[in-house]
Amino acid sequence: MLRITDRYILREVIPPFFLGLVIFTFLLMIPPIMEVVEELIAKGVDTLTVIQIVGTLVPQGLALTIPMALLLGVLMGLGRMSSDRETVALQACGVSLLRMFRPLLLLALLAAAATCYVMVIALPDANQRFREITFRTVASRAEGEVKPRVFYEDFPNVVLYVRDVSQTGAGWRDVFLADMRDSGQPDVYVAAQGQVVLDAEQRTVDVVLRSGTGHVMRSDEPGAYEVHSFEEIVIGLDPESVFPRGGPQRGYPELTVAQLQEEAAQLSAQGASPHRPIMEIHRKFSIPVACLVFVLIGIGLGVTSRKDGRLASFALGLMVIFTYYVIMYGAEAMAKGGLVSPHLAMWLPNILLGLAGLALFAWRSASVERRIALPFSAARRPPEPEAEPAQSVARGSWSGIAVPKPGLLSLSLLDWYVFRLYGGVLLLGFVGLLGVFYISTFIDLSDKLFKGQTTGLMLLEYFWYATPQFSYFVLPVSALVAALVTIGLLTKTSELTVMKACGVSLYRAALPIFLASLALSGVLFGMSETIMATANREAEALNFEIRSGVRRNRAIDVLSRQWIVAGDGSIYHYLHFDPERNEIGNLSVYEFGGEPWGLTGRAFAGAATFQDGWRGRDVWTREFTRPAADGGESIAYASAAEAPLPTLEEPAYFATERPDAELMNFGQLRTHIGELSASGFDVVRLVVELHRKVSFPFVTLILTLIAIPFAVTTGPRGTLFGVGLGVALAFTYWITINVFAAIGSAGLLGPALAAWAPNVLFGASAAYLLLTVRT
């Protein structure tokens, strides 16, 4: 039965535990929310399916965040008690450190059981459900995936390009299909109409083309070329691209313990090392046990004589968590190298940190007991000087604050006091939340490091270039939490009441926070326009290199742009482009025209180099008299060892960045939209992103305007309530942003309105709350 002391300790630890659980899980959910949810909504996936998909991602986060949140809760709870000297009072009354550990041990056992359930049961099923739901969604909407004037390459070795998509579901118009499965030169089909036909029961995927021509090269010799017309042709695709046999396959994290044991037995029977399934089995139980280890470390670090309280414990907890996962993945690497038994590898972090926790617990307990054992120690201390009485606000000063000399900002003493309180919480929250991204990213990429696929220096370089994007996510949440905590503390300590009594309104008292949030909005926009684009390009290239082990050009990502539409509507296909030498390899040019739309010319160059104009080597060309249904008879064929290519676009056209808004600033994206629009690309999504580059930085100001009236009404409930409320507001804002962006990308709302609607909605709510709150 829990005694009063036990319940009191639990009441201090449980709120920050749940707060940390919400914060950590929310931060880990931001990337899938921004990537998966927006894309699914834009594709027309119903809301229930989107919620199901997001729900299946939660257990994957909880497997990491439950132990992390438990450590945070213990550190913050005991840190608050230590700062108020409550732990000293308890020990002076005979409550030992071991006695304090008892209620925390119960909480650790409950957290370990919950983590074990997530790891053993919920996580495998949730990951599998995510694959199955996503799989069914893609299968049912394959036709809707094809966008007008955008190359669709999700079907293996098949490229689709359509100039128009019927809004009534009647299929595509003006279709270009390149089938690269059977020959060095792709078989090309050009048709007036087309659609994809799926049969889930029969497991077939067919592209049906109507009223067109097929262009087939029977060998690598360009003279062996066939052109045939058709009224309807069915091109069968690999069903495994849409309907994998047996459904989505389970990876090791998706397997149950019994399935992992069976996998290990099969690998052993085949003479292969079963270390991976063995370690996965032990991981499912070692991470839950980490809850006990974290509580042991937490009580050793939390019961101190520090005065910094709860918030400073945040960073301390992150350091312990980071150390835990570094040891875990280091042990996993050693197990793969045969240096450590796979049965022991996943338990090494618990063993090492557990021993450190026991030593810290014993040292802390002994040092506390020695200090309390001296009954007259307090009397022997020299008397502390009396604190100077606090001066009133009306007299122009504030307790504990040095009066700054008038500066350029001409802020009053009260402004500096509020700003210092706000800045401290902002900095602490920013550093702590940024650490969550570092830890989750390290966990994601650590296997590449320990397998030798990358180096520690490259991983640090990736962190360096990824930090601006991480900061872009974290800074608004930190600003929101800082505003809520600052106003909440001023309300709870009645300082805001004193200000009002002295004639300082809420608006005037919150002026430093308004100005700081406006400055932070400027910082976000400045980051987006200066360092973000370059840093994201470098980070993306490093991420690709770390994961694949293949180095690619960081300055220009053109390797994946092997299909491109020219300004005159021609389609280019090439194997590679070297921007430094202005050289293209294996270039094919397809020219279109006529009514109905069809192929009028085709050219090929083994290589093309630009020097005051393009010149190709090993060139052949072919022209067609009648496109599409009229037969497409060839009337002209020519070949040359070297020939000029006068109609080819300039090299800069091939070096254009991919249509990825995160890799460009506002000016670059606006120019890029113009180029893509002239080339026939669908740029609606990019136009939405263009407006979001201006609207999103105002998130700090909008959320701060909402936070201040909320904090006034919720301040008496404490700092943790304000932090939890801030996370809820931020989560709601992020969901709203992505929903409206998806609606705008789908063309259901104007791009400008889709980008600014969240700010308008939340700004109007903020204005109403500010006008109705008691000032």
Side-chain angles (χ1 to χ4, degrees):
M1 182 176 179
L2 295 177
R3 297 180 179 273
I4 295 178
T5 303
D6 300 329
R7 294 197 297 271
Y8 183 81
I9 293 175
L10 289 177
R11 280 199 302 267
E12 290 296 322
V13 172
I14 289 177
F17 164 68
F18 281 108
L19 174 67
L21 190 64
V22 172
I23 290 178
F24 292 147
T25 306
F26 165 67
L27 289 175
L28 293 180
M29 292 292 289
I30 286 180
I33 286 175
M34 297 193 69
E35 296 174 8
V36 177
V37 174
E38 182 177 337
E39 183 178 354
L40 291 175
I41 295 176
K43 291 175 181 177
V45 179
D46 61 276
T47 305
L48 180 60
T49 302
V50 172
I51 294 175
Q52 288 177 342
I53 291 176
V54 173
T56 59
L57 297 175
V58 173
Q60 188 172 4
L62 289 178
L64 298 174
T65 57
I66 291 177
M68 294 167 63
L70 179 62
L71 175 60
L72 177 69
V74 173
L75 287 173
M76 292 180 69
L78 296 181
R80 203 284 304 163
M81 294 175 63
S82 296
S83 65
D84 291 344
R85 298 296 185 267
E86 293 180 10
T87 54
V88 175
L90 286 174
Q91 293 170 79
C93 294
V95 180
S96 67
L97 213 61
L98 186 62
R99 179 65 182 78
M100 295 183 200
F101 181 68
R102 191 174 71 176
L104 298 178
L105 178 61
L106 175 62
L107 183 61
L109 290 174
L110 293 175
T115 307
C116 188
Y117 172 79
V118 170
M119 294 288 294
V120 177
I121 299 175
L123 179 59
D125 292 340
N127 284 355
Q128 184 66 6
R129 283 200 305 273
F130 172 79
R131 293 168 180 250
E132 291 173 351
I133 295 173
T134 307
F135 166 75
R136 290 198 303 268
T137 302
V138 172
S140 63
R141 298 184 177 271
E143 183 172 325
E145 294 281 319
V146 180
K147 301 298 181 183
R149 302 178 185 272
V150 177
F151 290 102
Y152 182 78
E153 301 180 69
D154 285 0
F155 294 131
N157 298 317
V158 174
V159 175
L160 268 173
Y161 178 85
V162 302
R163 296 212 301 178
D164 192 17
V165 176
S166 173
Q167 299 298 322
T168 62
W172 316 312
R173 290 193 291 270
D174 295 344
V175 185
F176 171 85
L177 185 147
D179 186 346
M180 299 177 289
R181 292 176 291 184
D182 299 328
S183 62
Q185 291 284 352
D187 297 341
V188 173
Y189 300 89
V190 182
Q193 296 179 334
Q195 65 182 120
V196 63
V197 178
L198 303 174
D199 189 333
E201 295 183 359
Q202 299 297 325
R203 297 175 48 81
T204 60
V205 182
D206 297 322
V207 173
V208 180
L209 303 178
R210 301 181 182 90
S211 301
T213 56
H215 300 254
V216 180
M217 294 186 65
R218 294 304 181 188
S219 69
D220 291 335
E221 293 296 327
Y225 195 98
E226 294 183 6
V227 181
H228 61 274
S229 61
F230 55 82
E231 287 299 322
E232 181 175 289
I233 187 171
V234 178
I235 301 174
L237 303 180
D238 182 8
E240 297 297 322
S241 62
V242 178
F243 303 112
R245 188 164 302 278
Q249 300 301 309
R250 288 178 177 254
Y252 282 132
E254 288 81 39
L255 297 179
T256 63
V257 174
Q259 291 170 331
L260 287 169
Q261 291 174 338
E262 182 180 351
E263 177 72 12
Q266 290 178 356
L267 290 174
S268 298
Q270 297 169 2
S273 173
H275 64 276
R276 288 191 60 194
I278 291 175
M279 284 192 295
E280 195 63 41
I281 293 173
H282 287 281
R283 194 197 309 271
K284 291 181 182 294
F285 299 99
S286 65
I287 291 181
V289 173
C291 294
L292 304 175
V293 175
F294 284 169
V295 164
L296 193 62
I297 294 177
I299 195 170
L301 296 175
V303 180
T304 67
S305 58
R306 301 194 322 267
K307 296 184 179 181
D308 41 21
R310 286 170 166 169
L311 292 176
S313 302
F314 197 83
L316 187 62
L318 291 177
M319 292 176 57
V320 174
I321 295 165
F322 186 77
T323 303
Y324 179 88
Y325 282 104
V326 167
I327 297 174
M328 171 179 283
Y329 286 100
E332 183 176 348
M334 290 189 291
K336 292 175 181 178
L339 301 177
V340 176
S341 168
H343 297 277
L344 177 64
M346 293 297 98
W347 294 97
L348 275 181
N350 292 336
I351 294 173
L352 296 179
L353 289 184
L355 292 174
L358 286 173
L360 182 63
F361 184 90
W363 174 80
R364 183 73 68 189
S365 179
S367 63
V368 168
E369 288 174 0
R370 283 196 299 270
R371 182 167 63 248
I372 296 175
L374 300 176
F376 302 105
S377 58
R380 297 173 183 173
R381 295 177 184 173
E384 296 182 0
E386 294 184 2
E388 296 182 3
Q391 297 177 353
S392 66
V393 181
R395 292 169 53 190
S397 62
W398 200 259
S399 176
I401 307 277
V403 180
K405 296 181 179 180
L408 295 177
L409 295 178
S410 299
L411 294 178
S412 68
L413 184 62
L414 177 61
D415 295 328
W416 284 108
Y417 175 74
V418 175
F419 180 77
R420 191 178 73 169
L421 182 61
Y422 173 83
V425 179
L426 174 70
L427 180 62
L428 191 59
F430 176 77
V431 173
L433 296 177
L434 194 62
V436 175
F437 275 94
Y438 287 143
I439 291 175
S440 61
T441 304
F442 176 79
I443 292 172
D444 185 34
L445 298 177
S446 58
D447 62 320
K448 310 298 180 183
L449 174 65
F450 297 123
K451 288 179 181 178
Q453 294 180 218
T454 186
T455 63
L457 184 61
M458 184 178 293
L459 205 58
L460 290 175
E461 187 180 4
Y462 172 72
F463 280 138
W464 171 259
Y465 286 112
T467 296
Q469 185 66 63
F470 293 164
S471 303
Y472 202 70
F473 291 149
V474 166
L475 196 57
V477 181
S478 303
L480 171 63
V481 171
L484 285 165
V485 171
T486 301
I487 299 297
L489 287 175
L490 293 176
T491 303
K492 185 177 181 180
T493 58
S494 300
E495 291 176 282
L496 189 59
T497 303
V498 174
M499 296 177 195
K500 294 177 182 179
C502 296
V504 180
S505 69
L506 173 64
Y507 303 144
R508 182 61 184 84
L511 179 62
I513 300 178
F514 286 137
L515 296 177
S517 64
L518 188 60
L520 291 175
S521 294
V523 169
L524 288 178
F525 184 77
M527 289 173 56
S528 176
E529 288 301 292
T530 55
I531 63 175
M532 284 273 292
T534 303
N536 285 346
R537 284 195 293 269
E538 295 286 346
E540 186 186 47
L542 283 166
N543 188 41
F544 178 85
E545 188 173 345
I546 290 171
R547 294 182 184 278
S548 66
V550 178
R551 185 177 180 83
R552 71 178 181 183
N553 193 330
R554 297 187 192 177
I556 298 175
D557 180 18
V558 296
L559 295 184
S560 62
R561 299 182 70 245
Q562 296 179 349
W563 293 90
I564 186 174
V565 179
D568 61 359
S570 300
I571 291 179
Y572 300 154
H573 173 231
Y574 55 90
L575 293 186
H576 67 272
F577 169 63
D578 187 341
E580 296 181 356
R581 301 172 58 185
N582 288 335
E583 185 174 86
I584 303 176
N586 282 42
L587 171 68
S588 293
V589 180
Y590 303 91
E591 299 175 351
F592 303 91
E595 186 62 37
W597 189 66
L599 192 63
T600 60
R602 180 174 178 176
F604 173 81
T609 306
F610 185 86
Q611 292 180 350
D612 298 327
W614 287 103
R615 294 193 64 84
R617 298 189 299 275
D618 300 326
V619 178
W620 60 260
T621 61
R622 185 176 292 275
E623 297 179 358
F624 310 99
T625 53
R626 295 184 298 277
D630 291 336
E633 180 183 352
S634 172
I635 62 168
Y637 163 72
S639 63
E642 184 174 346
L645 303 173
T647 62
L648 206 59
E649 295 283 355
E650 297 287 324
Y653 196 84
F654 293 89
T656 304
E657 294 286 354
R658 292 186 300 122
D660 191 341
E662 291 184 356
L663 304 181
M664 290 170 277
N665 59 31
F666 182 87
Q668 293 170 337
L669 181 56
R670 183 171 57 184
T671 302
H672 186 62
I673 288 173
E675 294 174 350
L676 292 179
S677 180
S679 302
F681 279 97
D682 177 15
V683 295
V684 173
R685 181 183 64 83
L686 293 178
V687 175
V688 175
E689 293 294 336
L690 181 70
H691 288 283
R692 283 179 63 178
K693 284 187 176 293
V694 180
S695 66
F696 182 80
F698 286 96
V699 60
T700 55
L701 179 62
I702 298 296
L703 292 181
T704 298
L705 293 176
I706 293 180
I708 290 173
F710 262 111
V712 171
T713 57
T714 61
R717 303 187 188 184
T719 302
L720 291 180
F721 186 85
V723 175
L725 179 62
V727 173
L729 286 173
F731 188 82
T732 304
Y733 186 85
W734 242 278
I735 290 292
T736 305
I737 285 178
N738 287 276
V739 168
F740 275 96
I743 293 173
S745 300
L748 303 177
L749 199 63
L753 183 57
W756 285 94
N759 286 350
V760 172
L761 292 176
F762 278 77
S765 302
Y768 172 79
L769 292 173
L770 283 171
L771 292 175
T772 56
V773 71
R774 297 185 62 180
T775 61

